[in-house]
Amino acid sequence: MSEESVKSRARGRDVYEMLRRAILHGHYEQSSALRPQQIASELEVSLAVVRESLLRLVGEGLAVRLPNRGFAVPTQDAMRWQQIAEARVLTEPVALRLAIERGDLRWESRVRSAHHLLARLPQYDDDGQVSEEWSRAHRDFHRAILEGGGNEVLLETFDRMWTASELARRWSVASTPDRDVAQEHLLLEEAALARDADAACDVLVRHLSLTAAALTHGPDDAKA
């Protein structure tokens, strides 16, 4: 690969990461336009690099492509988030039961390690935004508790739905700042490692339902 190709890929990665952070941190309002030409000019990169980054964000559910109108930040579509939450409530407990049934000591160790890291990372950065490091640890913990089942199809489904709901999760956290998410995660870890499938699934379903409620009804319902 030529030196220019390497530099081009690096620029593309930087632009993608910059746009992803800006969207997740609310620097763009819901439904606001993402104009490739304007972004390219502001970042002093090619239009092709910006378009490629925006298409990648569309694939992750962090941007939408509008026919003949370019790109935009998704709106907080309550029905869409409710459908994602419903799909997770239907599929993740199945994967969790398999993990509890089949998981070995290595699985237990991964779950403990993932929760240990998550519990010790601050959820917010210095700007009051959800920390990127915490977000990665959050995903890793939720995936770890499902991995013991060894079903790659269920894990791939988890990956797709997690990415599709990332923006919704950020909005949920903003709308319910007093929610004790750390306690919810602790209860989930304890029930899973106690091999209590019924209790673990109950905790997981409530955890997912609280996030959905924060997005579809507001903070008061989410804390009920």
Side-chain angles (χ1 to χ4, degrees), residues 18-19 21-29 32 73 127 129:
M18 191 179 305
L19 289 172
R21 272 196 310 274
I23 292 170
L24 289 173
H25 287 182
H27 297 168
Y28 292 101
E29 294 182 359
S32 62
V73 177
D127 297 323
Q129 302 289 339

Side-chain angles (χ1 to χ4, degrees), residues 145 161 171:
I145 64 172
M161 288 193 291
W171 287 331

Side-chain angles (χ1 to χ4, degrees), residues 35-104:
R35 298 182 175 87
Q37 190 68 56
Q38 179 181 341
I39 295 171
S41 177
E42 291 174 351
L43 301 181
E44 298 182 344
V45 296
S46 71
L47 187 59
V49 165
V50 173
R51 286 188 177 277
E52 182 179 343
S53 298
L54 288 171
L55 287 171
R56 186 175 174 185
L57 291 168
V58 168
E60 294 183 350
L62 298 180
V64 293
R65 193 170 189 179
L66 307 174
N68 303 317
R69 290 188 293 159
F71 302 85
V73 177
T75 58
Q76 186 172 321
D77 185 334
M79 178 60 71
R80 173 63 173 170
W81 305 138
Q82 187 64 36
Q83 289 174 346
I84 292 173
E86 185 177 75
R88 291 187 66 190
V89 165
L90 290 171
T91 58
E92 289 184 32
V94 173
L96 180 55
R97 285 185 182 277
L98 287 176
I100 290 171
E101 177 186 335
R102 301 173 180 174
D104 56 14

Side-chain angles (χ1 to χ4, degrees), residues 6-7 9 20 29 34 45 50 52-53 56 60 65 73 75 85 89 113 121 132 137 141 164 187 197 209 211 213 220:
V6 172
K7 289 181 179 179
R9 291 186 65 176
R20 190 177 191 277
E29 294 182 359
L34 297 168
V45 296
V50 173
E52 182 179 343
S53 298
R56 186 175 174 185
E60 294 183 350
R65 193 170 189 179
V73 177
T75 58
V89 165
S113 176
L121 287 172
E132 293 299 326
F141 168 68
L187 292 174
S209 298
T211 297
D220 292 336

Side-chain angles (χ1 to χ4, degrees), residues 193-204:
L193 295 185
R195 305 286 177 154
D196 189 336
D198 289 339
C201 288
D202 285 346
V203 172
L204 178 59

Side-chain angles (χ1 to χ4, degrees), residues 95 98-100 102-103 107 110 146-155:
L98 287 176
I100 290 171
R102 301 173 180 174
W107 169 71
R110 287 199 302 275
L146 306 181
E147 288 175 349
N151 189 309
E152 290 300 323
V153 174
L154 285 172
L155 291 174

